[in-house]
Amino acid sequence: MSILDAYDPAREAVLEPSHAAAPVEGFPETVVVTFQPSLTQAAASWPGTRVLGHLPVFFQIPIYAIDYQNKTLGLYQTLLGGAASAGMMEEVIARGARRFILFGSCGSLARDLPDGHLIVPTAARRDEGVSYHYLPPEENYIPLDTAPRTARVLTQLGVPFVEGPTWTTDALYRETRRNVARRKAEGCLCVDMECAACAAVCKFRGVEFYQFLYTEDNLGGDFWDPGLLGKLPQDAKDAYFRLALELARRVTP
Protein backbone atom coordinates (compact mmCIF):
# COMPACT_ATOMS: atom_id res chain seq x y z
CA MET A 1 0.00 0.00 0.00
CA SER A 2 1.23 3.49 -0.86
CA ILE A 3 -0.17 6.93 -0.21
CA LEU A 4 -1.53 6.96 -3.77
CA ASP A 5 -3.93 4.10 -3.06
CA ALA A 6 -4.88 5.22 0.45
CA TYR A 7 -8.14 6.85 -0.64
CA ASP A 8 -11.30 4.93 0.29
CA PRO A 9 -14.63 6.44 -0.86
CA ALA A 10 -16.41 4.98 2.20
CA ARG A 11 -17.96 7.85 4.14
CA GLU A 12 -17.65 6.22 7.55
CA ALA A 13 -14.32 5.54 9.24
CA VAL A 14 -13.56 3.35 12.23
CA LEU A 15 -12.76 6.45 14.28
CA GLU A 16 -15.09 9.35 13.53
CA PRO A 17 -14.79 12.99 14.70
CA SER A 18 -18.15 12.50 16.41
CA HIS A 19 -16.43 10.04 18.76
CA ALA A 20 -14.25 12.89 20.03
CA ALA A 21 -16.58 15.89 19.77
CA ALA A 22 -20.33 16.41 19.95
CA PRO A 23 -22.42 19.19 18.38
CA VAL A 24 -22.59 22.35 20.47
CA GLU A 25 -25.82 24.30 20.45
CA GLY A 26 -25.28 27.77 19.02
CA PHE A 27 -21.75 26.99 17.83
CA PRO A 28 -20.54 29.73 15.43
CA GLU A 29 -20.75 28.64 11.82
CA THR A 30 -17.72 30.75 10.84
CA VAL A 31 -14.44 30.03 12.61
CA VAL A 32 -11.16 31.95 12.38
CA VAL A 33 -8.02 29.85 12.78
CA THR A 34 -4.62 31.27 13.69
CA PHE A 35 -1.18 29.90 14.50
CA GLN A 36 -0.41 32.81 16.83
CA PRO A 37 -1.14 32.25 20.56
CA SER A 38 -0.77 35.99 21.23
CA LEU A 39 -3.88 36.64 19.12
CA THR A 40 -6.13 34.15 20.87
CA GLN A 41 -4.83 35.28 24.26
CA ALA A 42 -5.69 38.88 23.43
CA ALA A 43 -9.14 37.95 22.10
CA ALA A 44 -9.84 35.99 25.30
CA SER A 45 -10.02 39.31 27.18
CA TRP A 46 -12.40 41.02 24.75
CA PRO A 47 -15.87 41.85 26.12
CA GLY A 48 -18.30 39.02 25.50
CA THR A 49 -15.69 36.37 24.64
CA ARG A 50 -16.54 32.94 26.02
CA VAL A 51 -15.04 29.46 25.88
CA LEU A 52 -17.04 26.92 23.88
CA GLY A 53 -14.84 23.92 24.62
CA HIS A 54 -11.31 22.64 24.27
CA LEU A 55 -9.26 20.71 21.73
CA PRO A 56 -7.09 18.15 23.53
CA VAL A 57 -3.70 18.04 21.77
CA PHE A 58 -1.42 16.96 24.65
CA PHE A 59 -2.68 20.19 26.23
CA GLN A 60 -6.04 21.91 26.14
CA ILE A 61 -6.54 24.49 23.38
CA PRO A 62 -9.63 26.61 23.99
CA ILE A 63 -12.19 27.31 21.30
CA TYR A 64 -13.61 30.78 21.74
CA ALA A 65 -16.76 32.52 20.63
CA ILE A 66 -15.99 36.17 19.97
CA ASP A 67 -18.16 39.12 19.01
CA TYR A 68 -16.98 41.14 16.02
CA GLN A 69 -19.01 43.78 14.21
CA ASN A 70 -22.36 42.25 15.14
CA LYS A 71 -21.21 38.76 14.19
CA THR A 72 -20.42 35.85 16.47
CA LEU A 73 -17.33 34.03 15.27
CA GLY A 74 -15.37 31.04 16.47
CA LEU A 75 -11.64 31.30 17.12
CA TYR A 76 -8.87 28.88 18.05
CA GLN A 77 -5.13 28.43 17.72
CA THR A 78 -4.11 25.53 15.51
CA LEU A 79 -0.84 23.59 15.40
CA LEU A 80 1.75 23.44 12.63
CA GLY A 81 1.47 20.73 9.99
CA GLY A 82 -1.28 19.24 7.89
CA ALA A 83 -2.06 16.26 10.10
CA ALA A 84 -2.45 18.29 13.30
CA SER A 85 -4.39 21.15 11.75
CA ALA A 86 -6.69 18.79 9.81
CA GLY A 87 -7.48 16.68 12.88
CA MET A 88 -8.32 19.76 14.92
CA MET A 89 -10.48 21.08 12.10
CA GLU A 90 -12.41 17.79 12.01
CA GLU A 91 -13.34 18.15 15.67
CA VAL A 92 -14.44 21.76 15.18
CA ILE A 93 -16.62 20.72 12.24
CA ALA A 94 -18.17 18.06 14.46
CA ARG A 95 -19.09 20.80 16.93
CA GLY A 96 -20.93 22.80 14.25
CA ALA A 97 -18.52 24.88 12.13
CA ARG A 98 -19.52 25.39 8.49
CA ARG A 99 -16.72 27.65 7.22
CA PHE A 100 -13.11 28.34 8.16
CA ILE A 101 -10.79 31.30 7.66
CA LEU A 102 -7.19 30.13 8.09
CA PHE A 103 -4.31 32.58 7.91
CA GLY A 104 -0.62 32.11 8.53
CA SER A 105 2.86 32.50 7.16
CA CYS A 106 4.47 30.86 4.14
CA GLY A 107 7.80 30.67 2.39
CA SER A 108 7.90 32.68 -0.80
CA LEU A 109 9.09 30.99 -4.00
CA ALA A 110 9.08 34.32 -5.84
CA ARG A 111 12.27 36.26 -5.27
CA ASP A 112 10.63 39.62 -5.87
CA LEU A 113 7.84 39.29 -3.28
CA PRO A 114 8.62 41.44 -0.22
CA ASP A 115 8.44 40.04 3.29
CA GLY A 116 4.95 40.20 4.75
CA HIS A 117 3.17 40.32 1.38
CA LEU A 118 -0.23 38.65 1.16
CA ILE A 119 -0.91 35.65 -1.07
CA VAL A 120 -4.36 34.25 -1.80
CA PRO A 121 -3.83 30.60 -2.74
CA THR A 122 -5.95 29.56 -5.70
CA ALA A 123 -4.97 25.89 -5.41
CA ALA A 124 -2.77 23.70 -3.22
CA ARG A 125 -0.15 21.30 -4.58
CA ARG A 126 -0.56 18.01 -2.70
CA ASP A 127 2.80 17.05 -1.28
CA GLU A 128 1.55 15.86 2.10
CA GLY A 129 -0.26 12.79 3.39
CA VAL A 130 -3.63 13.90 4.71
CA SER A 131 -5.36 14.87 1.46
CA TYR A 132 -4.85 11.42 -0.07
CA HIS A 133 -7.17 9.96 2.57
CA TYR A 134 -9.93 12.47 1.78
CA LEU A 135 -9.81 12.91 -1.99
CA PRO A 136 -8.85 10.70 -4.95
CA PRO A 137 -5.18 10.95 -5.93
CA GLU A 138 -5.63 11.71 -9.63
CA GLU A 139 -5.35 15.49 -9.32
CA ASN A 140 -2.08 16.97 -8.06
CA TYR A 141 -3.76 20.23 -7.03
CA ILE A 142 -6.80 20.96 -4.88
CA PRO A 143 -8.55 24.12 -6.13
CA LEU A 144 -9.70 26.66 -3.57
CA ASP A 145 -13.09 27.67 -4.93
CA THR A 146 -13.34 30.43 -2.32
CA ALA A 147 -10.22 32.24 -3.57
CA PRO A 148 -12.17 34.73 -5.76
CA ARG A 149 -14.28 35.76 -2.79
CA THR A 150 -11.21 36.16 -0.57
CA ALA A 151 -9.56 38.25 -3.28
CA ARG A 152 -12.69 40.39 -3.65
CA VAL A 153 -12.77 41.17 0.08
CA LEU A 154 -9.08 42.09 0.17
CA THR A 155 -9.59 44.32 -2.87
CA GLN A 156 -12.50 46.05 -1.16
CA LEU A 157 -10.27 46.62 1.87
CA GLY A 158 -7.52 48.10 -0.31
CA VAL A 159 -4.97 45.48 0.69
CA PRO A 160 -2.32 44.50 -1.89
CA PHE A 161 -1.99 40.79 -2.62
CA VAL A 162 -1.12 38.29 -5.32
CA GLU A 163 -2.95 35.13 -6.32
CA GLY A 164 -1.58 31.75 -7.30
CA PRO A 165 -1.00 28.15 -6.24
CA THR A 166 0.77 27.14 -3.05
CA TRP A 167 2.89 24.04 -2.48
CA THR A 168 1.86 22.16 0.66
CA THR A 169 4.52 19.85 2.06
CA ASP A 170 4.97 17.97 5.33
CA ALA A 171 8.73 17.90 4.93
CA LEU A 172 9.94 21.26 6.21
CA TYR A 173 13.58 20.25 5.94
CA ARG A 174 13.32 18.48 2.57
CA GLU A 175 12.46 21.45 0.40
CA THR A 176 15.33 20.64 -1.94
CA ARG A 177 16.52 22.85 -4.77
CA ARG A 178 15.18 20.34 -7.30
CA ASN A 179 11.72 20.31 -5.77
CA VAL A 180 11.65 24.07 -5.31
CA ALA A 181 12.51 24.45 -9.00
CA ARG A 182 9.77 21.99 -9.97
CA ARG A 183 7.10 23.79 -7.99
CA LYS A 184 8.21 27.18 -9.29
CA ALA A 185 8.02 25.82 -12.84
CA GLU A 186 4.44 24.75 -12.15
CA GLY A 187 3.59 28.28 -11.06
CA CYS A 188 3.56 27.90 -7.26
CA LEU A 189 4.12 31.22 -5.52
CA CYS A 190 4.85 29.88 -2.06
CA VAL A 191 5.23 26.85 0.19
CA ASP A 192 3.14 26.07 3.26
CA MET A 193 2.41 23.08 5.50
CA GLU A 194 -1.39 22.98 5.87
CA CYS A 195 -3.40 24.29 2.91
CA ALA A 196 -3.89 21.07 0.92
CA ALA A 197 -4.75 19.05 4.03
CA CYS A 198 -7.30 21.54 5.34
CA ALA A 199 -8.81 22.13 1.91
CA ALA A 200 -9.26 18.37 1.49
CA VAL A 201 -10.96 17.97 4.87
CA CYS A 202 -13.35 20.83 4.17
CA LYS A 203 -14.19 19.56 0.69
CA PHE A 204 -14.87 16.07 2.05
CA ARG A 205 -17.06 17.43 4.85
CA GLY A 206 -18.89 19.92 2.64
CA VAL A 207 -17.78 23.07 4.48
CA GLU A 208 -16.17 26.25 3.15
CA PHE A 209 -12.44 26.88 3.43
CA TYR A 210 -10.87 30.32 3.01
CA GLN A 211 -7.17 31.03 3.34
CA PHE A 212 -4.68 33.82 2.92
CA LEU A 213 -0.96 33.63 3.57
CA TYR A 214 1.75 36.15 4.27
CA THR A 215 5.38 35.68 3.31
CA GLU A 216 7.94 35.39 6.10
CA ASP A 217 10.95 33.67 4.55
CA ASN A 218 12.09 33.20 0.95
CA LEU A 219 13.24 30.12 -0.96
CA GLY A 220 13.18 31.75 -4.38
CA GLY A 221 16.91 32.45 -4.65
CA ASP A 222 20.05 30.35 -4.52
CA PHE A 223 19.97 30.30 -0.73
CA TRP A 224 17.31 30.38 1.95
CA ASP A 225 16.55 33.87 3.21
CA PRO A 226 14.95 33.77 6.70
CA GLY A 227 13.41 37.21 6.18
CA LEU A 228 10.87 37.90 8.94
CA LEU A 229 10.67 34.30 10.15
CA GLY A 230 10.30 34.37 13.90
CA LYS A 231 10.61 38.17 13.92
CA LEU A 232 7.16 39.30 12.78
CA PRO A 233 6.20 42.31 14.91
CA GLN A 234 3.04 42.15 16.97
CA ASP A 235 1.40 45.01 15.10
CA ALA A 236 1.74 43.01 11.86
CA LYS A 237 0.18 39.94 13.52
CA ASP A 238 -2.67 42.15 14.73
CA ALA A 239 -3.17 43.57 11.25
CA TYR A 240 -3.42 40.12 9.65
CA PHE A 241 -5.85 39.09 12.39
CA ARG A 242 -8.08 42.07 11.64
CA LEU A 243 -8.10 41.09 7.96
CA ALA A 244 -9.13 37.55 8.90
CA LEU A 245 -11.91 38.86 11.12
CA GLU A 246 -13.15 41.18 8.39
CA LEU A 247 -13.07 38.35 5.85
CA ALA A 248 -15.00 36.16 8.29
CA ARG A 249 -17.59 38.87 8.84
CA ARG A 250 -18.13 39.43 5.15
CA VAL A 251 -18.53 35.76 4.20
CA THR A 252 -20.89 34.99 7.08
CA PRO A 253 -24.56 35.14 6.06
Side-chain angles (χ1 to χ4, degrees), residues 102-130:
L102 175 63
F103 69 105
S105 66
C106 64
S108 175
L109 300 182
R111 193 63 203 163
D112 57 346
L113 274 183
D115 294 342
H117 200 74
L118 290 191
I119 297 175
V120 175
T122 56
R125 179 61 152 86
R126 303 167 69 181
D127 195 8
E128 37 64 63
V130 172

Side-chain angles (χ1 to χ4, degrees), residues 6 51 53-54 62 84 133 143 146 148 164 185 190 196 200 204-205 217 223 232 241:
V51 177
H54 292 82
H133 294 270
T146 58
C190 59
F204 182 81
R205 297 297 178 192
D217 58 332
F223 300 96
L232 192 70
F241 187 30

Side-chain angles (χ1 to χ4, degrees), residues 8-22 87 90-95 133-134 204-205:
D8 183 343
R11 296 298 301 181
E12 186 175 350
V14 177
L15 174 60
E16 284 286 309
S18 58
H19 297 153
E90 281 275 36
E91 294 189 21
V92 178
I93 294 171
R95 286 171 166 85
H133 294 270
Y134 285 84
F204 182 81
R205 297 297 178 192

Side-chain angles (χ1 to χ4, degrees), residues 64-156:
Y64 296 104
I66 61 174
D67 295 325
Y68 177 76
Q69 299 289 327
N70 299 317
K71 297 284 187 179
T72 298
L73 306 173
L75 171 69
Y76 70 93
Q77 176 203 341
T78 194
L79 300 181
L80 291 176
S85 56
M88 294 170 72
M89 190 171 276
E90 281 275 36
E91 294 189 21
V92 178
I93 294 171
R95 286 171 166 85
R98 302 305 301 164
R99 66 189 61 81
F100 289 87
I101 286 80
L102 175 63
F103 69 105
S105 66
C106 64
S108 175
L109 300 182
R111 193 63 203 163
D112 57 346
L113 274 183
D115 294 342
H117 200 74
L118 290 191
I119 297 175
V120 175
T122 56
R125 179 61 152 86
R126 303 167 69 181
D127 195 8
E128 37 64 63
V130 172
S131 69
Y132 293 94
H133 294 270
Y134 285 84
L135 298 175
E138 287 78 15
E139 298 297 328
N140 290 330
Y141 283 83
I142 301 174
L144 270 67
D145 297 334
T146 58
R149 195 168 185 187
T150 301
R152 187 160 58 249
V153 170
L154 294 180
T155 299
Q156 292 167 352

